[in-house]
Every structure is written in structure tokens, then in C-alpha cells.
Amino acid sequence: MSTPRTIAFIGAGNMANAIIGGMLENGFNADNLWVSAPDDSHLQRIRKQSGVSVTTDNRYCAQQADIIVLAVKPQIMRSVCEEIAPVVQNTRPLIVSIAAGLEVDTLDGWLGGGMPIVRCMPNTPSLVGKGSAGLYATDSVGDDQRKAVTAIFEGVGIALWVPDEAMLHSITALSGSAPAYFFLMLEAMEEAGDELGVEREQARWLAIQTMAGAAEMARRGPDEPAQLKRNVMSPGGTTEKAVETFEDGDLRGLVRRACQAVIKHSKAMAAQLRDNAS
């Protein structure tokens, strides 16, 4: 298919709503979007806000779709997949899962087998249109389907494809979990500012603006991060002393170990979900 007729979201949580909002802002027609969830009052609020079609019937929602986005928690994914399996085996839509840890083979088995599937690892800045998503597709996913999925997730940020499903563990470490790293840095700077006599709210906003400005400089400019860092540092200056302190404290090693801890735990979670599925 070159242009999806209908995209259905099964699950209506914050991430699903963020993606739908980004799609609508980027020209997707609300008439071509369906959402299902068990809470009808919540669905009616979504319908009034965005104009999409809603239903509490997952099977009916799935039946409308060329693309189905599975946006439910991993703990209930099996029951949802098995519920819609008779429908998708007949209609053969593209399946997109944003559930962490659930591998495509597991999802495919629950859906009855032989389905084209994309796994996505989005992150929470998608809620403000600044997300990043790692994407992996099975061999049966066509080029037009890949383009359609890219368009969906570019509505809330950037979308990057990986050639190996196992690389989604690394994407989790570098992107999925990473907003918390920056919030930790923000928290630490706020606390340091408080100790230095700056009001906590002022310290927070100074840190937020500095982080946002530094990120924008990195995004816009051709320089590598190392050069951008040197551009701020004067030999023997205050910034150099701060950076030396970070280096002496093995900040790079801490970041590596933090990412490795995410990957280790992500793999363990995937293995547990796989064992529970069998």
C-alpha cells in the first residue's frame, strides 16, 4: 500500500495521544484514524478533542485498519493480540508495537503468525513533539509501509531505523531511558544552585534554558560535541575547571555503565516476557 487508508490505535494512553496529535498536526486526516480503549468516557474526550473515530471494541477497531498501532502495556499485550488475531489474519494489516521488551516473534505468535510487524522504541519527549524513536521491521514489511511508519513517528520527533532487533536494547539506553539522565542532571544543577545561594526556581530555569540552548547549538551546527565543548572553554578558565572535575569524576565511565545497566535489564525483561509467552 502506498498510502494507508486507516490507522488504528489500540490503547489510548499518553504516548498514543501524543502520536495522534503529531499526526494530525502533520496533515493526517482525522477521518482515517481510529482509537480503541476500554474507558468510553476517555475515548469520548479524545474524539471531541481530535475528531478521530473511537470504539471500545478492539476487534472492530482493528478491522478498519491498514496499520494497527499496539499501544497497550506489555502485561496485557497477549490478551489484546489474541483478541484481534482472527481479524488481522483475515485483513493482513501492518502491525506496529510500541510496547517495550516484547519481541516480534512473540507478538507474531500471539497474532496468529505471518504478520508484517514493526517494533518501535519511542521516548517521553514525544509528548511535546521532541521525541526520538528507534524502529525495527521484519522482512515482510514493505518500503511503502516503512515510509508510512516513519511519517507517523516523525510527527512527534525523529525516527531512526535499525537493522537488528537486538539494537533496540541500545536504543532504549541511548534514547528511551535517556530523558531521565538529563532530568537527573537538571536536578543536580538545581540543588547546586540552591547551595550557592540562587533560588531553586531560578536555578532550575537557568539550567533548563542552558540545556535547551546547548541542545539547539548541537542540533544546528556542524561541530562535533567535543569542539562545541572546547568553544565554551578558555584555557585556565572557569569552564575548564568544571569540565576537569567531571572528567576526574569519570563522568564518561558513569554514562557507559548506566547505558550498559539499561541494556542488561532490557534484555532480562525481554527474556522474562518471552518465557512468560511460551
Side-chain angles (χ1 to χ4, degrees), residues 13 31 84 96 108 110-111 143-144 148 161 182 190 204 210 218 221 263:
D31 292 340
I84 66 171
V96 180
D108 194 43
W110 291 341
L111 291 165
D143 289 341
D144 287 343
W161 291 91
F182 294 96
E190 180 181 332
R204 179 184 303 171
T210 301
I263 291 171

Side-chain angles (χ1 to χ4, degrees), residues 14-36:
N14 288 336
M15 188 63 71
N17 282 321
I19 296 167
I20 291 167
M23 292 171 66
L24 294 174
E25 287 182 7
N26 281 272
F28 280 82
N29 191 335
D31 292 340
N32 292 336
L33 295 175
W34 276 80
V35 183
S36 67

Side-chain angles (χ1 to χ4, degrees), residues 9 50 57 61 63 74 86 99 103 113 115-117 123 128 143 182 194 201 210 212 226 257 266:
F9 286 78
S50 61
D57 187 332
C61 188
Q63 198 168 16
E103 297 168 340
M115 299 301 300
I117 298 176
N123 64 6
V128 293
D143 289 341
F182 294 96
D194 184 49
E201 186 174 357
T210 301
R257 292 193 293 277
S266 178

Side-chain angles (χ1 to χ4, degrees), residues 78-108:
R78 179 172 188 164
S79 63
V80 168
C81 288
E82 291 178 345
E83 178 185 4
I84 66 171
V87 174
V88 300
Q89 284 297 316
N90 182 49
T91 59
R92 312 303 293 179
L94 172 65
I95 304 294
V96 180
S97 170
I98 64 172
L102 281 171
E103 297 168 340
V104 293
D105 286 347
T106 299
L107 292 167
D108 194 43

Side-chain angles (χ1 to χ4, degrees), residues 35-266:
V35 183
S36 67
D39 186 345
D40 186 59
S41 61
H42 178 55
L43 288 173
Q44 293 307 319
R45 288 193 294 271
I46 294 172
R47 182 186 62 79
K48 291 178 182 178
Q49 180 180 1
S50 61
V52 302
S53 300
V54 300
T55 178
T56 57
D57 187 332
N58 289 337
R59 287 192 180 189
Y60 185 76
C61 188
Q63 198 168 16
Q64 314 306 312
D66 296 297
I67 297 176
I68 297 174
V69 180
L70 298 173
V72 299
K73 295 179 180 180
Q75 298 91 323
I76 64 171
M77 183 67 82
R78 179 172 188 164
S79 63
V80 168
C81 288
E82 291 178 345
E83 178 185 4
I84 66 171
V87 174
V88 300
Q89 284 297 316
N90 182 49
T91 59
R92 312 303 293 179
L94 172 65
I95 304 294
V96 180
S97 170
I98 64 172
L102 281 171
E103 297 168 340
V104 293
D105 286 347
T106 299
L107 292 167
D108 194 43
W110 291 341
L111 291 165
M115 299 301 300
I117 298 176
V118 170
R119 269 191 65 195
C120 175
M121 182 66 240
N123 64 6
T124 54
S126 300
L127 300 174
V128 293
K130 297 293 183 181
S132 56
L135 302 167
Y136 168 77
T138 57
D139 292 340
S140 57
V141 177
D143 289 341
D144 287 343
Q145 291 175 319
R146 281 176 173 258
K147 290 176 182 177
V149 174
T150 299
I152 289 171
F153 289 98
E154 284 185 345
V156 289
I158 63 171
L160 304 173
W161 291 91
V162 298
D164 184 343
E165 185 177 12
M167 289 183 66
L168 291 179
H169 297 300
S170 299
I171 297 295
T172 301
L174 294 173
S175 175
S177 299
Y181 315 163
F182 294 96
F183 294 141
L184 175 61
M185 182 66 173
L186 177 60
E187 185 181 16
M189 291 181 70
E190 180 181 332
E191 291 172 355
D194 184 49
E195 291 177 4
L196 295 171
V198 180
E199 292 183 7
R200 291 187 74 95
E201 186 174 357
Q202 289 181 326
R204 179 184 303 171
W205 283 110
L206 284 169
I208 289 171
Q209 184 66 14
T210 301
M211 291 171 72
E216 187 64 17
M217 289 177 68
R219 188 184 72 85
R220 289 190 184 185
D223 291 336
E224 297 290 326
Q227 183 59 49
L228 289 170
K229 179 190 67 178
R230 287 191 290 269
N231 293 345
V232 184
M233 297 165 57
S234 300
T238 56
T239 306
E240 184 180 70
K241 295 302 179 184
V243 171
E244 286 176 354
T245 303
F246 283 128
E247 296 284 14
D248 290 344
D250 193 27
L251 176 62
R252 297 171 191 268
L254 277 174
V255 172
R256 284 195 297 271
R257 292 193 293 277
C259 290
Q260 289 164 357
V262 170
I263 291 171
K264 180 179 179 180
H265 192 59
S266 178

